[in-house]
Amino acid sequence: MRIIEAKDYADMSKKASEIISAKVLLTPNCVLGLATGSTPIGTYEHLVKKYQSGDLDFSNVRSINLDEYKGLSGDHDQSYRYFMDTHFFNHVNIDKANTFVPNGLAKDSDTACAEYNALIESFHGADLQLLGIGGNGHIGFNEPSDEFKKGVHCVKLAESTIKANARFFESEEDVPKYAYTMGIGNIMSAKTILLLASGTAKAQAVYDSFFGAITPKVQGSILQLHPDVIVIADQDALSIAKEKGVLV
Ligand code: F6R
């Protein structure tokens, strides 16, 4: 695991965009595993700028997103499909038919999970999986648990996740209670993982995930077993690791 220290959110975003750009340049038909949330917004902004200045071509890129709220349609402004369209896909030359996000309105959850799982397997996992991390250490929507779930599944969101995401909705009651998410096996099948973390609210999760025991109580800790993980964390997100002296 490589941990790259960034000064702040802006620096983290720029560095992350450089790594994703390199992947797209080297492998124009790569499969990008993508994340939503506040953390990657700056990264997507840089990628859009690089495309607009003619430095990147997404025409052969395929993408698979980590997760989607159950019950939200793709045109709901808090759905992750809408997030991806408005922050990234609408502004670059990726073919929307090659962008995949779980269908929040699927009639049958089990079938929807099995189909999304089969899709990820047909791609042999992502070439590069972008991840954020929850304050509770979740990756995708794999919440603290007694087990690591392998495949795509429907999950009941943790209270802390609902509270954390309430900032995007009119009220906490409006936050969907369930979501579809890639499982830990799907995430671990990515060839390279790029995890971003910014701010003191992530400092404990960063410390526990990368310097603590490997446990499903902190789902991000499984990444210690992946052969190619790059963490870009800003100084605030690394503050506890530094206090504890595990990072110089
Ligand atoms: C998003 C996702 C989540 C977020 C995490 C952090 O697709 O899977 O795991 O990465 O909740 O969210 P932010 O970036 O909003 O702090």
Side-chain angles (χ1 to χ4, degrees), residues 34-40 66-67 80 131-134 138-141 165 167-168 202:
L34 297 176
T36 60
S38 303
T39 308
L66 281 167
D67 39 22
Y80 287 170
L131 293 178
I133 189 161
H138 75 207
I139 49 175
F141 274 137
N165 291 0
R167 67 191 194 277
F168 300 115
K202 302 296 172 68

Side-chain angles (χ1 to χ4, degrees), residues 5-169:
E5 181 174 344
K7 281 198 287 293
D8 52 19
Y9 180 84
D11 188 33
M12 175 198 77
S13 304
K14 189 160 182 296
K15 287 179 160 62
S17 73
E18 301 292 352
I19 290 172
I20 298 170
S21 301
K23 173 54 72 184
V24 173
L25 281 175
L26 289 168
T27 315
N29 64 345
C30 65
V31 175
L32 295 180
L34 297 176
T36 60
S38 303
T39 308
I41 289 177
T43 304
Y44 292 135
E45 283 171 4
H46 279 288
L47 292 174
V48 168
K49 281 196 198 119
K50 285 176 194 289
Y51 164 72
Q52 286 169 343
S53 56
D55 292 332
L56 273 185
D57 174 13
F58 291 93
S59 59
N60 291 311
V61 169
R62 292 157 293 162
S63 72
I64 39 176
N65 259 77
L66 281 167
D67 39 22
E68 178 61 284
Y69 287 118
K70 183 176 179 177
L72 296 195
S73 72
D75 49 19
H76 186 290
D77 65 1
Q78 291 310 326
S79 74
Y80 287 170
R81 161 54 75 180
Y82 187 91
F83 175 104
M84 290 309 304
D85 286 349
T86 52
H87 287 285
F88 188 38
F89 299 150
N90 288 350
H91 311 292
V92 297
N93 66 337
I94 197 165
D95 180 349
K96 282 260 187 94
N98 290 332
T99 68
F100 300 93
V101 181
N103 174 9
L105 291 186
K107 284 203 181 65
D108 180 76
S109 290
D110 290 346
T111 308
C113 290
E115 285 174 0
Y116 204 67
N117 206 64
L119 177 79
I120 298 163
E121 284 179 359
S122 75
F123 287 155
H124 306 291
D127 290 301
L128 178 74
Q129 175 67 56
L130 181 62
L131 293 178
I133 189 161
N136 64 6
H138 75 207
I139 49 175
F141 274 137
N142 293 278
E143 299 285 28
S145 163
D146 294 334
E147 57 178 342
F148 291 111
K149 281 237 161 67
K150 191 172 167 214
V152 176
H153 58 286
C154 185
V155 63
K156 186 171 184 347
L157 297 176
E159 269 310 310
S160 61
T161 301
I162 291 173
K163 280 198 172 24
N165 291 0
R167 67 191 194 277
F168 300 115
F169 291 82

